[in-house]
Amino acid sequence: MPGRIDARLRELAITLPDAPAPAANYVPFVRSGATVYVSGQISRDANGLVLGRLGADLDVAAGAAAARTCALALIAQARAACGGDLDRIVRVVKLTGFVNSAPGFVDQPKVVNGASDVMVAVFGEAGRHARSAVGVAALPLGVAVEIEAIFEVA
Amino acid sequence: MPGRIDARLRELAITLPDAPAPAANYVPFVRSGATVYVSGQISRDANGLVLGRLGADLDVAAGAAAARTCALALIAQARAACGGDLDRIVRVVKLTGFVNSAPGFVDQPKVVNGASDVMVAVFGEAGRHARSAVGVAALPLGVAVEIEAIFEVA
Amino acid sequence: MPGRIDARLRELAITLPDAPAPAANYVPFVRSGATVYVSGQISRDANGLVLGRLGADLDVAAGAAAARTCALALIAQARAACGGDLDRIVRVVKLTGFVNSAPGFVDQPKVVNGASDVMVAVFGEAGRHARSAVGVAALPLGVAVEIEAIFEVA
C-alpha cells in the first residue's frame, strides 16, 4: 500500500537515493523519543559528489541544486528511520545548512532554499522547518553543501 | 496583564524587535513537544544589518553588541512561539553562535557572550544555556553574527 | 560501587578530564526532559590547549587525537549531568564537530572519527551517534577542534 508521501514523491518525479550507513563509528540517524536526528548529508547526485565552493566554482543555482540533493538524502534517511513509512514523519523540525563558501559569498540562504523548497514540496505544511544557513571554509571531501536535519516522527 | 519577563524587559529598557517570518519555505520557529527550535537570527539593529568580519571590520565590543541583537531577535521569536507570553519559557536550553571571522580571530566566545549575557539578564537562572561558539568564513548577507537557539517551553 | 561504564573506562585506561564550568553566562550542559545538551568542548590535553589548523599546522592523526580530547571532555560533562553515574547514559545521540581547517583541507570526517571512536569504545552500541563534521575558519582561542554533543539520559 503506497503511502501518501510516497505518492507525492511520484507526483514530483522524485526518486530518493539510497540511505547507506557511514563506514565509521557513527550512524546515519538516531531516534530519541519522537525526535530523529539525521547526520549531515553531503551533496551528491547521479554523477557523484557535487564539489566546489560557492562564489568561486559554483553559482547560486548550482548550489541550490546541490542543497536539494542533500535534502533528498535526508528524506531517504528519515524514511529508513521510519521503517520505510514516510507517512510517519510528523514534521520536518530543523535544517542546518553548511555552505562551502569563498570569501565574500553571502547568499547562503538562497543556496539552502534548494533544500527547504523540496521539503515543503514533499511534506507540505509539515515540511516547513526552522533553519540556519552558514558559510564554512571547508567541507568533507570538498563538497559544496552539507545539511543535517531533525525530524519529529509518530 | 503584563508578565514577569515583560516586566523584566521594561526594567532593562529592552524593546524586542519584530519577529517577522522569513520570505522562504522555512519558518522562524518550530515547536516539537516542549522544545522550540528558533531559526538562526542574524545581527540587525535599529540602523539595519550589522555587517562585517570580526578581526577585520569589527572589534570584540562591536561583535558582542551584534550578538546581543541576535539574542533579542531570538527572544522575540520565542515570544511569538509562546503566543506572546514569555513567562511560558521554562529554559533557554542552547545557543549556537556563528561568528563571521577573519583568519586569526579567536575571540568568538567573547563575542557570543553578548548574547549569553542578555539571556541571563532577561531570564535569570533559566537563561543559563549550553552553548557553542565557532568562527565561520561567511554569513548570510555579510552579517557579523548569526545565532540559533533551543528553548524549553511550558 | 563502580558502574559498568566506569569499569569500561578503566579497561580502556581512560581518565576523564575535569568538567569545569565556563567563566561566563552559559553552562557546560543543560538537561531538558531526557535530553542533555553539552556545550562545545575545545581540544585540550594534559599539555594544555591543542591549537592549530588542520591542513596547515596539524595532520589528520593529530587532529583525530585532538577530537578525542573533545570527546573525553564531553563524556566528563555528561557524567556531571548524570550526577556522576555514567550508566544513566542511554545513548550518545548526536555529535557536531567543528574542525579548524586551512583552505583545501577536506578530511574533517577522519578528524572527527577520533571522537566517534572513543564514544563507541566507551559506550558500545549506545555510543553510535548521528554526526556532522564541518570545516571552519576559526575556533575559540585557536583550538584545532570543537565538538558539541546531545545525550539521552535515564
Short mmCIF file of all heavy atoms in Angstrom, two decimals, chain C residues 58-100:
data_model
loop_
_atom_site.label_atom_id
_atom_site.label_comp_id
_atom_site.label_asym_id
_atom_site.label_seq_id
_atom_site.Cartn_x
_atom_site.Cartn_y
_atom_site.Cartn_z
N LEU C 58 48.54 20.91 11.63
CA LEU C 58 48.31 19.58 12.19
C LEU C 58 47.92 18.62 11.08
O LEU C 58 47.19 19.00 10.16
CB LEU C 58 47.15 19.62 13.20
CG LEU C 58 47.28 20.45 14.46
CD1 LEU C 58 45.96 20.43 15.23
CD2 LEU C 58 48.40 19.91 15.34
N ASP C 59 48.36 17.36 11.19
CA ASP C 59 47.90 16.35 10.24
C ASP C 59 46.67 15.63 10.79
O ASP C 59 46.21 15.92 11.90
CB ASP C 59 49.03 15.38 9.89
CG ASP C 59 49.51 14.57 11.08
OD1 ASP C 59 48.83 14.55 12.13
OD2 ASP C 59 50.58 13.95 10.98
N VAL C 60 46.14 14.73 9.99
CA VAL C 60 44.89 14.06 10.35
C VAL C 60 45.02 13.31 11.68
O VAL C 60 44.12 13.35 12.51
CB VAL C 60 44.43 13.11 9.22
CG1 VAL C 60 43.35 12.16 9.71
CG2 VAL C 60 43.92 13.93 8.04
N ALA C 61 46.14 12.65 11.88
CA ALA C 61 46.31 11.87 13.12
C ALA C 61 46.30 12.80 14.34
O ALA C 61 45.66 12.50 15.36
CB ALA C 61 47.62 11.07 13.08
N ALA C 62 46.98 13.93 14.23
CA ALA C 62 46.97 14.88 15.35
C ALA C 62 45.59 15.47 15.54
O ALA C 62 45.15 15.73 16.67
CB ALA C 62 48.00 15.99 15.09
N GLY C 63 44.88 15.68 14.43
CA GLY C 63 43.52 16.20 14.54
C GLY C 63 42.59 15.20 15.19
O GLY C 63 41.74 15.57 16.02
N ALA C 64 42.74 13.92 14.85
CA ALA C 64 41.90 12.89 15.46
C ALA C 64 42.19 12.79 16.96
O ALA C 64 41.28 12.60 17.77
CB ALA C 64 42.12 11.55 14.76
N ALA C 65 43.46 12.94 17.32
CA ALA C 65 43.81 12.93 18.75
C ALA C 65 43.19 14.13 19.45
O ALA C 65 42.71 14.03 20.59
CB ALA C 65 45.33 12.93 18.91
N ALA C 66 43.16 15.27 18.76
CA ALA C 66 42.52 16.46 19.34
C ALA C 66 41.03 16.23 19.51
O ALA C 66 40.43 16.60 20.54
CB ALA C 66 42.78 17.67 18.44
N ALA C 67 40.41 15.62 18.51
CA ALA C 67 38.97 15.34 18.59
C ALA C 67 38.67 14.39 19.75
O ALA C 67 37.63 14.51 20.42
CB ALA C 67 38.48 14.74 17.27
N ARG C 68 39.59 13.44 19.97
CA ARG C 68 39.40 12.50 21.09
C ARG C 68 39.36 13.25 22.42
O ARG C 68 38.56 12.93 23.31
CB ARG C 68 40.54 11.49 21.08
CG ARG C 68 40.39 10.36 22.08
CD ARG C 68 41.57 9.40 21.93
NE ARG C 68 41.34 8.13 22.62
CZ ARG C 68 41.63 7.90 23.89
NH1 ARG C 68 42.17 8.85 24.61
NH2 ARG C 68 41.39 6.72 24.43
N THR C 69 40.20 14.28 22.57
CA THR C 69 40.17 15.03 23.83
C THR C 69 38.83 15.76 24.01
O THR C 69 38.34 15.88 25.13
CB THR C 69 41.31 16.07 23.93
OG1 THR C 69 41.08 17.17 23.04
CG2 THR C 69 42.67 15.45 23.64
N CYS C 70 38.26 16.23 22.90
CA CYS C 70 36.93 16.85 22.99
C CYS C 70 35.90 15.83 23.47
O CYS C 70 35.04 16.14 24.30
CB CYS C 70 36.50 17.39 21.63
SG CYS C 70 37.56 18.66 20.92
N ALA C 71 35.99 14.62 22.92
CA ALA C 71 35.03 13.58 23.30
C ALA C 71 35.15 13.24 24.78
O ALA C 71 34.13 13.04 25.47
CB ALA C 71 35.24 12.33 22.44
N LEU C 72 36.38 13.17 25.28
CA LEU C 72 36.55 12.86 26.71
C LEU C 72 35.96 13.97 27.57
O LEU C 72 35.34 13.71 28.61
CB LEU C 72 38.03 12.63 27.02
CG LEU C 72 38.66 11.42 26.32
CD1 LEU C 72 40.13 11.29 26.72
CD2 LEU C 72 37.91 10.12 26.60
N ALA C 73 36.13 15.21 27.14
CA ALA C 73 35.53 16.32 27.88
C ALA C 73 34.01 16.26 27.82
O ALA C 73 33.32 16.55 28.82
CB ALA C 73 36.04 17.66 27.34
N LEU C 74 33.47 15.87 26.67
CA LEU C 74 32.02 15.72 26.56
C LEU C 74 31.51 14.64 27.51
O LEU C 74 30.47 14.80 28.17
CB LEU C 74 31.63 15.37 25.11
CG LEU C 74 31.80 16.49 24.08
CD1 LEU C 74 31.71 15.94 22.66
CD2 LEU C 74 30.76 17.60 24.28
N ILE C 75 32.24 13.52 27.58
CA ILE C 75 31.83 12.44 28.49
C ILE C 75 31.92 12.91 29.94
O ILE C 75 31.06 12.60 30.77
CB ILE C 75 32.70 11.18 28.26
CG1 ILE C 75 32.48 10.62 26.85
CG2 ILE C 75 32.37 10.10 29.30
CD1 ILE C 75 33.45 9.50 26.46
N ALA C 76 32.97 13.68 30.24
CA ALA C 76 33.10 14.21 31.61
C ALA C 76 31.91 15.11 31.96
O ALA C 76 31.37 15.05 33.07
CB ALA C 76 34.42 14.98 31.75
N GLN C 77 31.49 15.92 31.01
CA GLN C 77 30.33 16.80 31.27
C GLN C 77 29.06 15.97 31.37
O GLN C 77 28.18 16.26 32.21
CB GLN C 77 30.19 17.84 30.15
CG GLN C 77 31.36 18.80 30.03
CD GLN C 77 31.51 19.78 31.20
OE1 GLN C 77 30.77 19.72 32.19
NE2 GLN C 77 32.47 20.68 31.09
N ALA C 78 28.94 14.94 30.54
CA ALA C 78 27.76 14.08 30.62
C ALA C 78 27.70 13.38 31.97
O ALA C 78 26.62 13.22 32.56
CB ALA C 78 27.78 13.05 29.48
N ARG C 79 28.87 12.99 32.47
CA ARG C 79 28.91 12.36 33.79
C ARG C 79 28.42 13.33 34.85
O ARG C 79 27.61 12.96 35.73
CB ARG C 79 30.33 11.90 34.11
CG ARG C 79 30.44 11.19 35.45
CD ARG C 79 31.82 10.57 35.67
NE ARG C 79 32.87 11.58 35.68
CZ ARG C 79 34.16 11.32 35.86
NH1 ARG C 79 34.54 10.05 36.02
NH2 ARG C 79 35.05 12.28 35.85
N ALA C 80 28.86 14.57 34.76
CA ALA C 80 28.38 15.57 35.72
C ALA C 80 26.87 15.75 35.60
O ALA C 80 26.15 15.90 36.59
CB ALA C 80 29.11 16.90 35.50
N ALA C 81 26.39 15.72 34.34
CA ALA C 81 24.94 15.90 34.12
C ALA C 81 24.13 14.75 34.71
O ALA C 81 22.95 14.91 35.01
CB ALA C 81 24.65 16.03 32.62
N CYS C 82 24.78 13.60 34.86
CA CYS C 82 24.13 12.40 35.41
C CYS C 82 24.46 12.21 36.88
O CYS C 82 24.34 11.09 37.40
CB CYS C 82 24.58 11.15 34.64
SG CYS C 82 23.91 11.07 32.98
N GLY C 83 24.90 13.25 37.53
CA GLY C 83 25.23 13.12 38.95
C GLY C 83 26.34 12.12 39.21
O GLY C 83 26.40 11.49 40.27
N GLY C 84 27.23 11.97 38.22
CA GLY C 84 28.38 11.09 38.40
C GLY C 84 28.18 9.66 37.93
O GLY C 84 29.13 8.88 37.91
N ASP C 85 26.97 9.32 37.51
CA ASP C 85 26.67 7.93 37.15
C ASP C 85 26.52 7.78 35.63
O ASP C 85 25.43 7.95 35.07
CB ASP C 85 25.38 7.49 37.85
CG ASP C 85 25.04 6.05 37.54
OD1 ASP C 85 25.82 5.37 36.83
OD2 ASP C 85 23.98 5.57 38.00
N LEU C 86 27.61 7.42 34.97
CA LEU C 86 27.60 7.30 33.50
C LEU C 86 26.69 6.18 33.02
O LEU C 86 26.32 6.16 31.84
CB LEU C 86 29.03 7.09 32.98
CG LEU C 86 29.86 8.37 32.85
CD1 LEU C 86 31.32 8.05 32.59
CD2 LEU C 86 29.31 9.25 31.72
N ASP C 87 26.33 5.26 33.90
CA ASP C 87 25.41 4.20 33.47
C ASP C 87 24.02 4.74 33.15
O ASP C 87 23.20 4.02 32.55
CB ASP C 87 25.30 3.11 34.54
CG ASP C 87 26.62 2.35 34.70
OD1 ASP C 87 27.58 2.63 33.94
OD2 ASP C 87 26.69 1.48 35.58
N ARG C 88 23.78 5.98 33.53
CA ARG C 88 22.48 6.59 33.18
C ARG C 88 22.44 7.12 31.75
O ARG C 88 21.39 7.56 31.28
CB ARG C 88 22.15 7.71 34.17
CG ARG C 88 21.79 7.19 35.57
CD ARG C 88 21.59 8.32 36.56
NE ARG C 88 20.68 9.33 36.06
CZ ARG C 88 20.69 10.61 36.41
NH1 ARG C 88 21.57 11.05 37.29
NH2 ARG C 88 19.82 11.44 35.91
N ILE C 89 23.58 7.09 31.06
CA ILE C 89 23.58 7.50 29.65
C ILE C 89 22.88 6.41 28.83
O ILE C 89 23.35 5.28 28.77
CB ILE C 89 25.01 7.69 29.12
CG1 ILE C 89 25.76 8.76 29.94
CG2 ILE C 89 24.99 8.05 27.63
CD1 ILE C 89 25.30 10.16 29.71
N VAL C 90 21.78 6.76 28.21
CA VAL C 90 21.04 5.80 27.39
C VAL C 90 21.63 5.74 25.99
O VAL C 90 21.72 4.68 25.37
CB VAL C 90 19.55 6.22 27.31
CG1 VAL C 90 18.79 5.35 26.32
CG2 VAL C 90 18.91 6.15 28.70
N ARG C 91 22.05 6.88 25.50
CA ARG C 91 22.53 6.93 24.12
C ARG C 91 23.34 8.20 23.89
O ARG C 91 22.97 9.27 24.40
CB ARG C 91 21.31 6.94 23.16
CG ARG C 91 21.64 6.90 21.68
CD ARG C 91 22.07 5.49 21.28
NE ARG C 91 22.60 5.43 19.92
CZ ARG C 91 21.95 4.90 18.88
NH1 ARG C 91 20.76 4.38 19.04
NH2 ARG C 91 22.52 4.87 17.67
N VAL C 92 24.43 8.06 23.16
CA VAL C 92 25.07 9.24 22.58
C VAL C 92 24.27 9.54 21.31
O VAL C 92 24.29 8.76 20.36
CB VAL C 92 26.55 9.00 22.24
CG1 VAL C 92 27.20 10.28 21.74
CG2 VAL C 92 27.30 8.44 23.46
N VAL C 93 23.54 10.64 21.31
CA VAL C 93 22.57 10.89 20.24
C VAL C 93 23.23 11.57 19.04
O VAL C 93 23.03 11.17 17.90
CB VAL C 93 21.41 11.75 20.78
CG1 VAL C 93 20.47 12.17 19.64
CG2 VAL C 93 20.64 10.99 21.84
N LYS C 94 24.02 12.61 19.31
CA LYS C 94 24.50 13.43 18.20
C LYS C 94 25.80 14.11 18.57
O LYS C 94 25.92 14.63 19.69
CB LYS C 94 23.44 14.50 17.88
CG LYS C 94 23.86 15.57 16.89
CD LYS C 94 23.47 15.23 15.47
CE LYS C 94 24.22 16.11 14.48
NZ LYS C 94 24.04 17.55 14.69
N LEU C 95 26.73 14.12 17.66
CA LEU C 95 27.93 14.95 17.77
C LEU C 95 27.96 15.93 16.60
O LEU C 95 27.65 15.56 15.47
CB LEU C 95 29.21 14.11 17.70
CG LEU C 95 29.48 13.07 18.77
CD1 LEU C 95 30.88 12.46 18.54
CD2 LEU C 95 29.39 13.65 20.17
N THR C 96 28.35 17.16 16.89
CA THR C 96 28.64 18.10 15.81
C THR C 96 30.08 18.55 15.99
O THR C 96 30.45 19.11 17.03
CB THR C 96 27.70 19.32 15.86
OG1 THR C 96 26.35 18.85 15.89
CG2 THR C 96 27.89 20.20 14.63
N GLY C 97 30.90 18.24 14.99
CA GLY C 97 32.33 18.51 15.07
C GLY C 97 32.73 19.65 14.15
O GLY C 97 32.46 19.61 12.95
N PHE C 98 33.38 20.65 14.75
CA PHE C 98 33.89 21.80 14.00
C PHE C 98 35.41 21.69 13.97
O PHE C 98 36.06 21.67 15.02
CB PHE C 98 33.46 23.10 14.67
CG PHE C 98 31.96 23.27 14.78
CD1 PHE C 98 31.29 22.98 15.95
CD2 PHE C 98 31.22 23.70 13.68
CE1 PHE C 98 29.91 23.14 16.04
CE2 PHE C 98 29.84 23.86 13.76
CZ PHE C 98 29.18 23.57 14.95
N VAL C 99 35.95 21.61 12.77
CA VAL C 99 37.38 21.38 12.59
C VAL C 99 38.01 22.64 12.00
O VAL C 99 37.62 23.10 10.93
CB VAL C 99 37.62 20.18 11.65
CG1 VAL C 99 39.11 19.97 11.42
CG2 VAL C 99 36.97 18.92 12.22
N ASN C 100 38.98 23.19 12.70
CA ASN C 100 39.72 24.37 12.24
C ASN C 100 40.52 23.97 11.00
O ASN C 100 41.48 23.20 11.09
CB ASN C 100 40.65 24.82 13.38
CG ASN C 100 41.09 26.26 13.26
OD1 ASN C 100 41.07 26.83 12.17
ND2 ASN C 100 41.50 26.84 14.38
#
